[in-house]
Amino acid sequence: MRKESSGSARQRQDVLTALTVAAAALLLALSLNFVQPAFASADKPITTAAQVKDASEASGQDLYHRGYYKAAMKVWKRAVEEKKDPGAAFRLGEEYFDAKVVDRSITDAVKYMMIGADGGDPRAQMDLGTYYDKGWGVKRDPKLAAKWYKAAADNGKPDAQYNIGTMYEDGEGVEKDQKLAYAYYLMAAKNGFPNYPAEAIKRLSKTMEPADIKAASKMAAKMLKSQPQEPLAPAVEAESMK
């Protein structure tokens, strides 16, 4: 998380977790090596990329969780080459950036995240937005950051909903729009990312007109209907009317 220097002193959520968290997840994955893949027989578990008939994010993920990292990477690459699998592309981009099992290559990370983002994977869209936001592997471009944050947000990713909200609030990469910022903050809070959006909602509530807050609340509810989510929670809806 880094603090921004904009007027609202807002913070955007970095999608890329600390390496210590990634290491902990890796150790957890290694502890689950005894789990057999759903698509393998009990006496002949799949352990190599050559044994995988249907290359996909899921089949590569199974190999990865059981510690067959090189095989998993090969399967994901096949899935991208043969099917343009956006999930597999996201996983490749993630691995090339995090450098847990392969050497870091920001060029490859960006390449695969672009494939995943273009294919509609919200995780890749969020990460690609972060790359453009931070200038990691690409020239910093707030407009492209906003484009990909919004794509991930409209696909229901709550941290992206918060991030695009900050950009609408500050007019960075997009035209400044407090109502849209408020609406995306409400969606982020509803979708399980409550802390930072709650602070932003409280901040905006002090400067927005009640009619605009009500309009933003209705806007959020309408946008949520296009996502596989429940209606706004009563607590969030009540907060929006303050």
Side-chain angles (χ1 to χ4, degrees):
M1 202 74 74
R2 72 171 170 83
K3 193 167 184 177
E4 303 290 341
S5 59
S6 63
S8 65
R10 54 138 173 92
Q11 293 176 307
R12 272 207 286 282
Q13 170 70 14
D14 292 345
V15 66
L16 304 171
T17 58
L19 292 179
T20 53
V21 177
L26 183 59
L27 289 173
L28 177 61
L30 288 172
S31 71
L32 299 176
N33 281 352
F34 63 88
V35 178
Q36 295 291 338
F39 49 81
S41 62
D43 56 337
K44 293 182 179 181
I46 291 173
T47 59
T48 68
Q51 292 173 296
V52 175
K53 294 181 180 179
D54 185 18
S56 65
E57 179 186 3
S59 56
Q61 183 75 359
D62 179 82
L63 288 166
Y64 190 94
H65 276 170
R66 293 186 292 120
Y68 300 105
Y69 305 121
K70 291 183 178 180
M73 295 290 287
K74 289 179 180 179
V75 168
W76 285 330
K77 287 180 179 179
R78 269 180 49 205
V80 172
E81 291 167 1
E82 296 172 3
K83 307 173 185 176
K84 299 290 184 184
D85 185 315
F90 163 74
R91 289 308 310 269
L92 287 168
E94 187 178 50
E95 292 304 320
Y96 278 115
F97 189 94
D98 290 345
K100 297 193 295 289
V101 299
V102 293
D103 291 335
R104 175 168 283 122
S105 172
I106 301 300
T107 298
D108 285 329
V110 172
K111 179 182 79 172
Y112 285 115
M113 285 302 177
M114 284 183 171
I115 294 172
D118 283 333
D121 189 289
R123 300 165 300 175
Q125 291 167 340
M126 173 67 183
D127 274 23
L128 190 56
T130 300
Y131 290 175
Y132 280 113
D133 193 8
K134 310 290 187 181
W136 290 341
V138 293
K139 183 179 178 180
R140 187 173 187 276
D141 189 327
K143 289 185 178 180
L144 285 174
K147 169 188 173 180
W148 290 114
Y149 283 151
K150 187 176 185 302
D154 291 343
N155 274 329
K157 204 162 191 320
D159 46 358
Q161 289 167 344
Y162 171 73
N163 281 6
I164 191 61
T166 67
M167 299 190 89
Y168 275 118
E169 182 179 355
D170 290 343
E172 184 181 6
V174 290
E175 186 176 348
K176 188 171 183 177
D177 190 321
Q178 284 191 324
K179 285 190 289 187
L180 271 174
Y182 197 99
Y184 276 109
Y185 289 149
L186 283 177
M187 287 191 286
K190 162 61 183 73
N191 287 332
F193 188 69
N195 294 334
Y196 285 96
E199 294 173 7
I201 290 168
K202 185 177 180 180
R203 180 176 63 247
L204 281 178
S205 295
K206 295 177 180 179
T207 60
M208 292 175 65
E209 295 293 330
D212 288 338
I213 292 175
K214 185 174 183 179
S217 302
K218 290 181 178 180
M219 191 183 303
K222 183 177 180 180
M223 287 192 285
L224 279 167
K225 287 181 179 178
S226 66
Q227 301 169 12
Q229 302 291 338
E230 297 177 357
L232 284 173
V236 175
E237 197 167 71
E239 173 67 25
S240 71
M241 296 304 294
K242 291 182 180 179

